[in-house]
Amino acid sequence: MNFLRGVMGGQSAGPQHTEAETIQKLCDRVASSTLLDDRRNAVRALKSLSKKYRLEVGIQAMEHLIHVLQTDRSDSEIIGYALDTLYNIISNDEEEEVDDVEEENSTRQSEDLGSQFTEIFIKQPENVTLLLSLLEEFDFHVRWPGVKLLTSLLKQLGPQVQQIILVSPMGVSRLMDLLADSREVIRNDGVLLLQALTRSNGAIQKIVAFENAFERLLDIITEEGNSDGGIVVEDCLILLQNLLKNNNSNQNFFKEGSYIQRMKPWFHVGDENSGWSAQKVTNLHVMLQLVRVLVSPTNPPGATSSCQKAMFQCGLLQQLCTILMATGVPADILTETINTVSEVIRGYQVNQDYFASVNAPSNPPRPAIVVLLMSMVNERQPFVLRCAVLYCFQCFLYKNQKGQGEIVSTLLPSTIDATGNSVSAGQLLCGGLFSTDSLSNWCAAVALAHALQENATQKEQLLRVQLATSIGNPPVSLLQQCTNILSQGDKIDRRGSKIQTRVGLLMLLCTWLSNCPIAVTHFLHNSANVPFLTGQIAENLGEEEQLVQGLCALLLGISIYFNDNSLESYMKEKLKQLIEKRIGKENFIEKLGFISKHELYSRASQKPQPNFPSPEYMIFDHEFTKLVKELEGVITKAIYKSSEEDKKEEEVKKTLEQHDSIVTHYKNMIREQDLQLEELKQQISTLKCQNEQLQTAVTQQVSQIQQHKDQYNLLKVQLGKDNQHQGSYSDGTQVNGVQPEEVGRLREEIEELKSNQELLQSQLAEKDSLIENLKSSQASPGTNEQSSAPASARDSEQIAELKQELATLKSQLNSQSVEISRLQTEKQELLRKTETFAKSAPAPGESEAGTTAKTTDVEGRLSALLQETKELKNEIKALSEERSAIKEQLDASNSTIAILQNEKNKLEMDVTDSKKEQDDLLVLLADQDQKIFSLKNKLKELGHPVEEEDELESGDQDDEEDEDEDDGKDQGPI
């Protein structure tokens, strides 16, 4: 407050004194008036004065305005005026024009006022909490000024306000609701508010991300038209950058939520690329930067590779390559696209292989790598574009031995196109390496060095490259040509930096010779190289040349450290004596230290991307700085070592090589054992499956045995009842209760008997009708009684015979009826039908005679009925035999139970053996060769008995099924 009064006191007196009194009166009205309208009018007046008289209103009215926010929340109009007034006081936005002379002082004073008033406002954290609660109001005149005021507070004192919001209950969640507001003004200002809120605060970034911010922001970008949208799209993208940059948790959440797939439509630029508005260029630029945030080399390797994989699978990399090869793309977008593709493919083999297969839409088609390298070695291209192409080439070769081999192979004599119709990557690199443009020399040297990075095979292959220098002269090797150009120094007129070409060539030679004794031998075989290096190191040159001296010292040190002493004139000890004699060890180490002490060395070591403000700063490569850091110490030790120490070191190296070979042998052996272990695990899983199947079979058998036991108990009860009712026919009914098939058959047979009985009844009715006819004929009076006496005597004899036959038939029918009634007692329904039949049986009629043929037919039918009755008796007798068969079946079931119990015990033993085998497998990993043979024997021991057990059990199951079928046949119809 004293500061504010001092600033106010420094202002000129006069009319402002009257305005101060007016502000004071308005503040009194706000504080003391009881009418809401009076307070509202006073706050409205303060709002109108707050822009011009910001200091006076802020000093006198801030406390009253905060009190209004606390007490008058029911009136949205006065709350809106109060929030607008506070925003005018705290915000540094200057809308009025000022003179050029006063502009700087006014801006500085405005910033001081804004931060001071913000500090006063947030001194009470309850004020920020109150403001957050006001944002829940849906009224436009309250919510919009509240959003602007909170945004201004965050811009002034961001960390302090962030901490207050972080500890406020549901503080961040309330602000996230702004993104769902249907009014675009509030939604867009809400995005700006979240930008300020999430800046450099990881905790708030995580909360905002888990409040579904990614989904909402991507929806807004889609609604606004992706890259064709307005500044709202840019604001959303900047907010996404705040949430993802250097925040591994949010990056993983973004990838796991499949939000990378939703980025692909951003880069559909269409066929017509001529209409690129400034906003579209800006949007695409920020979109590309957002992709780079996810695959930045500074991220953890696992997170980067998973994002790279997702970008390839969803087609995002393919879409970026389409932009890369398209025509009409603005230069800055093309440059950023190249950088983005570089980091999407860096270190991920699948993406690198895809990039190698991309062709430019030319006739004939050329690989994209060749087209890009043509831009890199073309000095007419923009500097930033050439740097981007170099970065892309470096990322393509990073941890990509296959790609390195393809690049080097384009330089070998067997693969060079003799017709000259197509240009290869290797030819472009050689052309850039030996051009008169120093920047092209440096870029080509660094690119070629990356083709050799950590790849001893390609270092040896590159020694085979031969170059034709001029007509009539024999070809020289690439290594020799590099040293020739290096020794010429400044004699060749080049465009650009004086030392850039030599630095590039020295970095290439150092990378080439490191960890490659064969290349060192080739280098030392040229007798002019060592004197040149010692001469360069021994001279006292200016500051610009000190870096070249340091690199020459490094190259000579590499020639000593990786020397295999194959050349007698340049053995390690002789080279060290030469250094001590011509240069001095201390002087040599001092010159070697010039590299790491250079001002551009630390800058290049920070990031892999070659990002230089101008060509003059392009001196060091990132991977080369890592090589210097690795070799500087070991070269220093090698220079000071004696010959005896060298011999010991050689012995140690040989021992280490032998150890490496042993380790490699055991690695291969372990790899083979891993394969065997996998096979054994598969066998164990197969045995487990078989065990589970056998357990299931045992369970089924147990359930079947239980069913047999239940049937046995039921039959036992039924047999007891049969012993009590041996004289009756109802015991068959109880047995039939157990055998429903036999009951059905019995019913069918009873039905047949019933039909036969009905047939006999019809025949009896016919006989009765014949007898009645005979009686009527006998009773009728007739003449010639005397003459017919012999005939009547014959008729009476026939009638007597018929009566006798009829009596016989009736007796037979009665006996059959008795048998049928005994059968019908098995079932109440059959009994009822039998009783009905007995009631409907015909009574004996009068004795009448019939024809002999019809009587004979009746006798035949009766005999057939008797025969069927006898068969029924035989089937009833078979029931007792079935009972004995069931008893035998129960005895067989008991024996099956015992067999299954034995099999179950055997299976449990097999499971125990399988578990022991698993423990033996773990022990085999440590025992390696000695126990692998015993492991196979154990497997054989395990395998054969298990198969025999399986066959035995399956045979037992088949026997049991056969027994069940035999039992079913024995229990036939009764």
Side-chain angles (χ1 to χ4, degrees):
M1 293 293 290
N2 292 332
F3 167 78
L4 298 176
R5 290 193 179 94
V7 174
M8 182 179 176
Q11 294 180 352
S12 59
Q16 292 186 359
H17 182 67
T18 305
E19 296 298 338
E21 293 178 353
T22 304
I23 293 170
Q24 182 62 45
K25 290 179 181 179
L26 292 174
C27 291
D28 293 339
R29 285 177 60 188
V30 172
S32 59
S33 178
T34 57
L35 295 177
L36 180 60
D37 291 339
D38 290 344
R39 296 199 301 275
R40 185 190 303 119
N41 293 331
V43 175
R44 184 191 296 117
L46 287 172
K47 173 190 171 183
S48 62
L49 294 172
S50 60
K51 289 185 179 180
K52 187 174 181 181
Y53 302 101
R54 177 183 174 192
L55 178 62
E56 293 81 355
V57 175
I59 292 173
Q60 300 184 45
M62 180 175 286
E63 184 178 352
H64 300 295
L65 294 172
I66 295 173
H67 184 70
V68 168
L69 297 179
Q70 296 171 346
T71 58
D72 292 329
R73 292 191 59 172
S74 59
D75 186 71
S76 60
E77 191 173 356
I78 191 173
I79 295 295
Y81 291 148
L83 291 172
D84 282 332
T85 307
L86 288 172
Y87 172 74
N88 292 337
I89 294 170
I90 292 174
S91 176
N92 290 329
D93 297 337
E94 290 288 341
E95 296 185 359
E96 296 182 1
E97 296 181 359
V98 294
D99 297 337
D100 295 337
V101 179
E102 300 176 355
E103 183 175 359
E104 184 177 354
N105 294 332
S106 176
T107 302
R108 187 182 299 109
Q109 183 178 357
S110 175
E111 291 176 355
D112 292 340
L113 285 177
S115 60
Q116 290 292 330
F117 282 132
T118 301
E119 186 175 356
I120 295 171
F121 184 85
I122 66 172
K123 191 173 184 179
Q124 298 294 331
E126 296 82 6
N127 295 339
V128 179
T129 306
L130 174 63
L131 184 57
L132 290 173
S133 65
L134 290 173
L135 291 179
E136 293 182 347
E137 298 289 338
F138 188 73
D139 192 291
F140 180 81
H141 298 287
V142 176
R143 183 173 257 194
W144 188 40
V147 171
K148 293 194 296 181
L149 175 58
L150 187 56
T151 305
S152 182
L153 292 173
L154 286 165
K155 288 181 179 178
Q156 296 293 342
L157 295 175
Q160 294 90 323
V161 181
Q162 285 174 343
Q163 191 60 31
I164 296 173
I165 295 175
L166 189 59
V167 300
S168 177
M170 300 297 291
V172 178
S173 300
R174 293 173 182 173
L175 300 180
M176 287 301 300
D177 293 337
L178 298 174
L179 295 181
D181 201 303
S182 58
R183 295 159 294 192
E184 290 189 2
V185 176
I186 295 179
R187 183 199 69 185
N188 299 343
D189 283 350
V191 174
L192 297 176
L193 170 60
L194 291 172
Q195 279 185 20
L197 178 66
T198 56
R199 189 172 291 116
S200 303
N201 192 305
I204 293 180
Q205 289 169 2
K206 292 179 181 179
I207 296 174
V208 171
F210 283 95
E211 287 285 346
N212 206 21
F214 293 139
E215 184 76 29
R216 296 183 183 181
L217 291 172
L218 292 173
D219 288 341
I220 294 173
I221 292 172
T222 304
E223 292 171 4
E224 295 292 327
N226 294 326
S227 60
D228 293 323
I231 195 171
V232 179
V233 173
E234 180 184 355
D235 293 336
C236 292
L237 292 169
I238 293 174
L239 177 55
L240 285 172
Q241 275 192 4
N242 289 350
L243 296 175
L244 294 173
K245 194 170 186 178
N246 299 324
N247 193 317
N248 299 329
S249 174
N250 283 2
Q251 290 176 7
N252 185 58
F253 181 65
F254 190 85
K255 177 184 67 69
E256 295 295 335
S258 300
Y259 296 119
I260 291 178
Q261 288 81 340
R262 298 186 60 179
M263 299 170 71
K264 181 184 176 183
W266 295 356
F267 304 102
H268 287 294
V269 295
D271 297 332
E272 297 295 332
N273 297 322
S274 57
W276 290 79
S277 63
Q279 187 61 52
K280 181 175 182 178
V281 171
T282 303
N283 290 344
L284 263 177
H285 198 273
V286 182
M287 288 173 177
L288 292 168
Q289 288 179 343
L290 187 61
V291 175
R292 294 184 65 185
V293 166
L294 295 171
V295 292
S296 174
T298 58
N299 294 341
T304 300
S305 61
S306 60
C307 290
Q308 290 172 330
K309 180 180 179 181
M311 289 177 182
F312 176 76
Q313 290 178 344
C314 73
L316 180 58
L317 174 60
Q318 293 85 329
Q319 195 64 39
L320 292 174
C321 290
T322 302
I323 298 177
L324 195 66
M325 295 291 104
T327 57
V329 180
D332 51 348
I333 294 297
L334 181 60
T335 302
E336 191 63 25
T337 304
I338 295 173
N339 288 328
T340 306
V341 171
S342 305
E343 295 183 350
V344 172
I345 68 174
R346 186 176 189 269
Y348 190 71
Q349 187 67 49
V350 176
N351 292 4
Q352 289 169 336
D353 292 343
Y354 170 77
F355 183 71
S357 66
V358 175
N359 289 325
S362 60
N363 191 14
R366 289 178 175 174
I369 297 175
V370 173
V371 176
L372 292 175
L373 287 178
M374 292 173 68
S375 301
M376 184 186 75
V377 298
N378 187 352
E379 56 185 301
R380 290 193 294 265
Q381 294 292 339
F383 173 67
V384 290
L385 179 63
R386 299 174 74 180
C387 291
V389 172
L390 176 62
Y391 184 46
C392 184
F393 192 73
Q394 292 174 349
C395 292
F396 169 68
L397 297 177
Y398 183 71
K399 294 183 178 180
N400 182 12
Q401 293 192 353
K402 178 183 176 183
Q404 290 175 328
E406 291 174 352
I407 296 299
V408 173
S409 66
T410 59
L411 286 165
L412 299 179
S414 59
T415 58
I416 295 177
D417 186 6
T419 60
N421 293 330
S422 61
V423 180
S424 65
Q427 291 172 331
L428 288 171
L429 291 176
C430 283
L433 191 62
F434 306 126
S435 71
T436 56
D437 177 33
S438 61
L439 185 58
S440 297
N441 300 153
W442 191 92
C443 291
V446 170
L448 199 54
H450 276 262
L452 307 176
Q453 199 76 39
E454 299 179 358
N455 195 330
T457 303
Q458 302 309 323
K459 291 178 181 178
E460 296 176 5
Q461 288 292 322
L462 201 62
L463 295 173
R464 297 170 49 203
V465 177
Q466 300 289 322
L467 302 176
T469 55
S470 59
I471 299 175
N473 293 330
V476 297
S477 66
L478 177 61
L479 181 64
Q480 182 63 43
Q481 185 66 13
C482 290
T483 55
N484 291 341
I485 296 174
L486 189 62
S487 62
Q488 292 175 1
D490 295 333
K491 296 178 181 178
I492 300 176
D493 186 17
R494 301 180 186 275
R495 293 179 295 276
S497 173
K498 294 181 179 180
I499 65 170
Q500 205 166 38
T501 299
R502 286 182 288 165
V503 169
L505 290 172
L506 285 169
M507 287 194 298
L508 172 60
L509 291 173
C510 290
T511 305
W512 194 347
L513 269 59
S514 63
N515 294 292
C516 187
I518 298 177
V520 172
T521 302
H522 278 72
F523 178 77
L524 296 177
H525 191 72
N526 187 348
S527 58
N529 289 336
V530 173
F532 168 74
L533 292 178
T534 54
Q536 288 286 317
I537 298 169
E539 290 184 7
N540 292 322
L541 303 175
E543 293 183 0
E544 290 185 357
E545 297 294 331
Q546 286 182 352
L547 177 59
V548 176
Q549 287 183 312
L551 292 172
C552 289
L554 178 65
L555 183 58
L556 186 57
I558 291 173
S559 301
I560 294 174
Y561 184 73
F562 296 103
N563 193 342
D564 59 358
N565 294 325
S566 58
L567 291 177
E568 185 178 355
S569 57
Y570 291 109
M571 299 176 65
K572 283 186 178 181
E573 190 61 29
K574 291 185 177 180
L575 288 175
K576 286 193 287 186
Q577 292 174 0
L578 182 65
I579 289 175
E580 187 174 3
K581 181 178 179 181
R582 296 190 179 181
I583 304 171
K585 292 183 178 180
E586 291 77 8
N587 190 23
F588 178 85
I589 300 302
E590 181 184 0
K591 297 294 178 67
L592 183 62
F594 286 163
I595 303 174
S596 57
K597 293 178 182 179
H598 198 277
E599 56 181 354
L600 298 178
Y601 175 86
S602 59
R603 180 172 182 174
S605 63
Q606 294 174 359
K607 292 182 179 181
Q609 182 181 0
N611 189 12
F612 306 103
S614 63
E616 290 76 18
Y617 290 88
M618 185 179 275
I619 298 297
F620 287 108
D621 173 58
H622 175 75
E623 291 296 328
F624 180 74
T625 60
K626 293 162 64 175
L627 181 66
V628 171
K629 189 180 297 184
E630 176 186 349
L631 295 179
E632 187 174 5
V634 296
I635 290 175
T636 301
K637 292 179 181 179
I639 294 299
Y640 285 105
K641 279 181 183 178
S642 62
S643 59
E644 295 180 355
E645 292 176 345
D646 285 337
K647 290 180 181 179
K648 291 181 180 179
E649 186 177 354
E650 288 295 331
E651 294 177 356
V652 171
K653 281 185 178 181
K654 290 180 180 179
T655 306
L656 288 175
E657 289 177 357
Q658 294 176 357
H659 176 72
D660 290 340
S661 63
I662 295 173
V663 169
T664 305
H665 171 68
Y666 279 105
K667 282 183 178 179
N668 295 330
M669 188 180 299
I670 292 172
R671 191 176 296 109
E672 293 175 357
Q673 291 177 354
D674 288 339
L675 295 175
Q676 294 176 355
L677 278 176
E678 289 298 326
E679 294 177 356
L680 294 175
K681 287 179 180 179
Q682 292 177 359
Q683 293 180 5
I684 290 173
S685 62
T686 304
L687 291 175
K688 285 183 178 180
C689 294
Q690 293 177 358
N691 186 19
E692 292 174 356
Q693 293 174 358
L694 292 174
Q695 290 284 359
T696 305
V698 169
T699 306
Q700 292 176 355
Q701 292 293 335
V702 170
S703 63
Q704 291 178 1
I705 290 168
Q706 187 62 38
Q707 291 177 1
H708 288 309
K709 285 182 179 180
D710 295 340
Q711 291 179 2
Y712 173 75
N713 294 330
L714 186 59
L715 286 173
K716 204 170 184 181
V717 173
Q718 291 171 351
L719 288 172
K721 290 182 180 180
D722 290 340
N723 292 331
Q724 296 176 1
H725 303 86
Q726 288 180 353
S728 66
Y729 227 77
S730 61
D731 56 351
T733 306
Q734 293 180 6
V735 175
N736 294 337
V738 183
Q739 300 294 337
E741 298 86 357
E742 297 175 1
V743 172
R745 294 192 189 99
L746 189 57
R747 286 178 180 175
E748 292 175 357
E749 292 172 0
I750 293 173
E751 288 294 331
E752 291 177 359
L753 288 174
K754 183 179 177 182
S755 62
N756 292 334
Q757 186 180 10
E758 291 176 353
L759 181 60
L760 289 173
Q761 287 177 354
S762 63
Q763 292 175 357
L764 285 174
E766 292 176 358
K767 291 292 184 180
D768 289 339
S769 63
L770 288 173
I771 292 170
E772 287 296 329
N773 291 332
L774 291 173
K775 286 178 68 177
S776 62
S777 64
Q778 185 180 7
S780 61
T783 57
N784 302 323
E785 197 172 6
Q786 296 176 355
S787 60
S788 61
S792 61
R794 288 193 299 270
D795 292 335
S796 60
E797 290 177 0
Q798 292 178 354
I799 289 170
E801 292 176 358
L802 288 173
K803 283 182 178 181
Q804 188 177 358
E805 291 175 359
L806 183 61
T808 305
L809 288 173
K810 285 183 178 181
S811 64
Q812 292 177 355
L813 282 174
N814 289 331
S815 63
Q816 189 174 11
S817 297
V818 171
E819 292 295 328
I820 293 172
S821 62
R822 289 174 63 186
L823 288 172
Q824 288 176 337
T825 56
E826 295 175 3
K827 206 75 173 180
Q828 292 181 359
E829 183 178 1
L830 295 176
L831 181 59
R832 180 178 59 79
K833 293 181 180 181
T834 306
E835 290 174 355
T836 304
F837 163 73
K839 291 179 182 179
S840 61
E846 297 179 358
S847 299
E848 296 292 339
T851 59
T852 304
K854 293 182 178 180
T855 304
T856 305
D857 183 61
V858 171
E859 288 176 354
R861 292 178 181 275
L862 286 173
S863 63
L865 184 59
L866 288 173
Q867 183 65 29
E868 291 175 355
T869 304
K870 290 179 181 180
E871 291 177 359
L872 284 174
K873 288 181 180 180
N874 294 329
E875 289 176 356
I876 290 170
K877 289 179 181 178
L879 284 173
S880 60
E881 297 177 358
E882 287 294 327
R883 292 191 189 99
S884 62
I886 291 172
K887 290 181 180 179
E888 293 177 358
Q889 183 180 0
L890 290 174
D891 294 335
S893 299
N894 290 330
S895 63
T896 305
I897 291 171
I899 293 171
L900 290 175
Q901 187 65 34
N902 292 332
E903 289 176 353
K904 182 179 179 182
N905 294 334
K906 289 179 181 179
L907 288 173
E908 290 176 351
M909 292 175 65
D910 291 337
V911 172
T912 305
D913 293 337
S914 298
K915 291 181 179 178
K916 291 180 179 179
E917 276 305 312
Q918 292 178 2
D919 296 335
D920 293 336
L921 290 175
L922 295 176
V923 174
L924 283 172
L925 283 173
D927 295 342
Q928 297 179 355
D929 284 338
Q930 296 178 359
K931 294 186 179 180
I932 190 70
F933 182 73
S934 61
L935 175 62
K936 291 181 180 178
N937 292 333
K938 287 182 181 180
L939 283 176
K940 292 178 182 178
E941 294 173 2
L942 176 64
H944 292 291
V946 172
E947 294 177 355
E948 292 173 1
E949 293 289 344
D950 292 344
E951 293 173 1
L952 180 60
E953 290 172 3
S954 63
D956 293 339
Q957 292 178 0
D958 294 337
D959 293 339
E960 291 173 9
E961 292 176 358
D962 294 337
E963 290 176 4
D964 293 340
E965 292 176 1
D966 295 337
D967 294 340
K969 291 179 181 178
D970 294 336
Q971 296 174 358
I974 297 174

